[in-house]
Amino acid sequence: MPPLRTALLQSSGCPGSVARNLDALDSAAARAAASGARLLVCPEMFLTGYAIGDDVPRLAEAADGPAARAVAEIAAGHRIAVHYGYPERDGHTLYNAAQLIGPDGTALANYRKTHLFGDFEEQWFTPGDQPVVQAELDGVRIGLLICYDVEFPENVRAHALAGTDLLLVPTALMHPFPFVAESVVPVRAFENQLYVAYANRTGTEGPFEFVGLSALAGPDGTVRTRAGRGEELVIGDVDPVLLTASRAGNPYLRDRRPALYGSLA
C-alpha cells in the first residue's frame, strides 16, 4: 500500500466569517492536492474561528448543513479528503466537532469533542460521548479526536486498540502549552504505535495566543513534518510499511496486561 500523503493547514483563517474561511480552505485544498496529498487536516473550529464568544450559537450548523455541503464541494473539486473543525448544532445542543469528508465529497465521519477545555468551551458546548470514531481512506484506518482529547492517554490507547492507523487531531493549542505539540504528541504516537496528525491554529484571537507547531508524528516517535509559529501548509507521508515494521518492533499492545489496570477505570 502506498503512503497516504497528508497535508496540515496551520491557520486561524478569518474568525467570524465562514465564507472567508471556506475560501481559505479551497485555496489550501488546491495547494495540498497539487503536492500529491490525499488528505488535508485543518485546525479546531476552523470554519468559524475559535474565540468567537457569543457568536457560537449563530455560527453553529448541523453536520449536514450549508458549510458541510460547501466543504464537500471543495473536497470533490480537488479530489482530496478534508478534515475540519466546526461548531455543530444538533437541535438545541452545541458541540465542538470535527468532520471528515472524502475525496468524492462523501461525509465519512463526524466526531464531537469529549473533553472540553476551559471556561469558554464549557460555557458553550456539550461534551460528546463517543470516544472512538473512525473511517477508512485509501486503506488507512483513520481516527478522530480534538485538541485536549489527545492529552488523555486513555483516548489515544482506545484508538490504538480499535486499530486506528492515523489519528487526526485538529487543535487550538495556546500559550503556555507548546510542550504538548513538541513532546506529548510524538510520545502518544510512539506509545500507541500510530501516526498523529496535529493541526493547530496560529496567532492571537481574543485572550488566546496560539502557538502553531503543527506536526505529523510517526509510530517511531519521530516528527515527519513540523510547522513553525506562523501560517503554513506542511506535508508528510503516512507510510503503512513503516507502521507495520514499527508495530512489530515495539509491541506495546501485545505486551499489555489489562488485568492489572482495572483500577484505572
Side-chain angles (χ1 to χ4, degrees):
M1 191 189 312
L4 176 65
R5 180 150 292 180
T6 301
L8 283 66
L9 175 61
Q10 180 166 286
S11 172
S12 289
C14 182
S17 176
V18 173
R20 290 180 65 180
N21 291 329
L22 286 169
D23 287 343
L25 177 59
D26 187 37
S27 175
R31 287 182 285 139
S35 76
R38 287 282 291 164
L39 170 64
L40 172 64
V41 185
C42 301
E44 182 176 9
M45 297 276 284
F46 180 72
L47 279 190
T48 61
Y50 181 84
I52 54 175
D54 293 347
D55 279 339
V56 170
R58 179 178 67 85
L59 296 175
E61 291 188 10
D64 59 355
R69 294 193 292 272
V71 174
E73 290 182 5
I74 291 170
H78 297 290
R79 301 298 298 170
I80 187 171
V82 175
H83 180 253
Y84 66 98
Y86 73 108
E88 180 190 355
R89 177 183 295 281
D90 185 359
H92 296 293
T93 307
L94 303 177
Y95 298 96
N96 183 338
Q99 184 155 212
L100 176 63
I101 304 292
D104 62 353
T106 300
L108 299 180
N110 189 71
Y111 171 76
R112 295 164 173 172
K113 190 173 185 178
T114 55
H115 294 74
L116 302 179
F117 179 81
D119 294 340
F120 166 68
E121 291 189 16
E122 292 177 357
Q123 176 184 356
W124 290 110
F125 299 116
T126 296
D129 58 8
Q130 189 171 356
V132 176
V133 173
Q134 295 173 310
E136 296 283 333
L137 178 65
D138 293 355
V140 174
R141 185 171 294 181
I142 292 176
L144 311 184
L145 291 179
I146 299 174
C147 196
Y148 195 38
D149 290 330
V150 81
E151 298 176 40
F152 292 82
E154 300 87 347
N155 278 348
V156 187
R157 181 51 54 90
H159 271 278
L161 294 173
T164 292
D165 300 316
L166 168 61
L167 188 60
L168 308 184
V169 188
T171 188
L173 182 70
M174 58 196 68
H175 181 79
F177 307 112
F179 62 87
V180 174
E182 294 167 337
S183 301
V184 174
V185 168
V187 168
R188 289 285 178 271
F190 180 70
E191 69 190 3
N192 290 286
Q193 289 299 294
L194 42 70
Y195 282 88
V196 178
Y198 191 76
N200 196 17
R201 306 181 69 82
T202 184
T204 301
E205 292 179 46
F208 306 116
E209 179 187 348
F210 301 115
V211 301
L213 301 175
S214 300
L216 177 66
D220 55 358
T222 63
V223 174
R224 323 308 285 188
T225 187
R226 165 82 73 189
R229 297 297 184 115
E231 299 264 342
E232 198 168 348
L233 182 73
V234 295
I235 296 169
D237 288 337
V238 173
D239 186 354
V241 174
L242 172 64
L243 187 58
T244 298
S246 185
R247 285 172 170 172
N250 301 284
Y252 288 121
L253 300 187
R254 186 195 70 194
D255 292 345
R256 291 169 67 249
R257 298 180 61 193
L260 300 180
Y261 316 143
S263 62
L264 296 178

